[in-house]
Amino acid sequence: SQTIHQWPATLVQPVGSPLSLECTVEGTSNPNLYWYRQAAGRGLQLLFYSVGIGQISSEVPQNLSASRPQDRQFILSSKKLLLSDSGFYLCAWSPALAGDEQYFGPGTRLTVT
Amino acid sequence: GENVEQHPSTLSVQEGDSAVIKCTYSDSASNYFPWYKQELGKRPQLIIDIRSNVGEKKDQRIAVTLNKTAKHFSLHITETQPEDSAVYFCAAVYDKLIFGAGTRLAVHP
């Protein structure tokens, strides 16, 4: 069966520091991968999605970037964090061919101080 | 672009009552409509979905209905239990998943 991992689970970072969040998927090949952000008590904001290695689409212009160096690895980065970057970051995957179901990872709770 | 509106934003019911959450979508080409349940501090979990060639789907106490003409779909939870308390998100897919803003459901014993 498929499994999606995210780390770290929680992170506290000062303003201006860099960020790297990692997501990996097991048990499937060529998945579509997604990064979402959820502010406290709010909905899901799609940040980036990828349909293959090196293919990244950005939904919201901001100081974040994403990379997909391997088929089942998706990385979210920032060179300098802002206070507004605080939130719950969720990675998700969906089958490339079988349908549109999306499955979420356990998330990373980021607090920027 | 695609837009999904979800109502109500909060819903409070007594245990055993039914709960209904409604969503409307804007793109008539949308063909897949999932519902997610998110408990406090946890990831959203897919609980039920429906495709555009089906009008209704049931899974035990939950059901989803789709009206393609009116471009709206609804989640129905019967015999609610305290463990149903969570935030529920609807979504619609055309080329990617677009989420509604969420409904916070509270089931009181």
Side-chain angles (χ1 to χ4, degrees):
Chain A
S1 64
Q2 299 84 10
T3 309
I4 180 168
H5 303 278
Q6 284 186 246
W7 64 90
T10 60
L11 192 59
V12 180
Q13 292 284 99
V15 168
S17 63
L19 174 73
S20 181
L21 303 181
E22 190 165 344
C23 171
T24 59
V25 181
E26 296 177 354
T28 187
S29 296
N30 196 30
N32 293 332
L33 296 173
Y34 309 83
W35 278 112
Y36 290 87
R37 177 169 62 198
Q38 187 175 35
R42 304 295 296 275
L44 298 158
Q45 180 187 31
L46 179 62
L47 302 175
F48 302 95
Y49 69 96
S50 171
V51 299
I53 295 174
Q55 301 179 62
I56 308 294
S57 296
S58 174
E59 291 295 305
V60 183
Q62 53 202 317
N63 68 320
L64 299 172
S65 62
S67 62
R68 185 171 177 173
Q70 300 180 44
D71 181 45
R72 290 171 289 177
Q73 183 185 31
F74 206 20
I75 296 172
L76 183 69
S77 303
S78 174
K79 292 182 179 178
K80 288 186 178 182
L81 284 168
L82 307 172
L83 283 175
S84 57
D85 291 324
S86 294
F88 192 39
Y89 286 81
L90 291 154
C91 180
W93 76 274
S94 67
L97 299 176
D100 304 298
E101 300 91 347
Q102 272 189 33
Y103 301 96
F104 286 88
T108 294
R109 189 162 306 280
L110 171 66
T111 303
V112 183
T113 60
Chain B
E2 175 69 277
N3 184 49
V4 176
E5 294 192 0
Q6 183 172 346
H7 301 280
S9 57
T10 60
L11 182 58
S12 181
V13 301
Q14 290 297 124
E15 182 177 1
D17 288 350
S18 295
V20 180
I21 303 170
K22 298 181 180 180
C23 290
T24 59
Y25 60 99
S26 59
D27 194 329
S28 58
S30 295
N31 55 16
Y32 174 65
F33 306 91
W35 286 87
Y36 287 84
K37 174 184 180 182
Q38 187 178 28
E39 296 177 352
L40 189 62
K42 298 193 175 179
R43 75 183 90 182
Q45 298 269 23
L46 178 66
I47 57 172
I48 195 168
D49 55 14
I50 192 168
R51 296 192 182 272
S52 58
N53 58 347
V54 175
E56 183 176 6
K57 184 177 179 180
K58 289 183 179 180
D59 183 3
Q60 298 182 5
R61 293 187 298 108
I62 61 174
V64 57
T65 58
L66 172 64
N67 183 325
K68 289 170 54 181
T69 303
K71 292 191 287 187
H72 67 70
F73 57 112
S74 300
L75 178 71
H76 304 253
I77 306 175
T78 58
E79 301 174 25
T80 54
Q81 301 169 4
E83 51 265 38
D84 294 328
S85 297
V87 178
Y88 291 81
F89 292 97
C90 65
V93 170
Y94 175 48
D95 59 348
K96 56 183 179 289
L97 214 56
I98 305 295
F99 285 90
T103 296
R104 186 172 300 277
L105 173 64
V107 181
H108 301 285

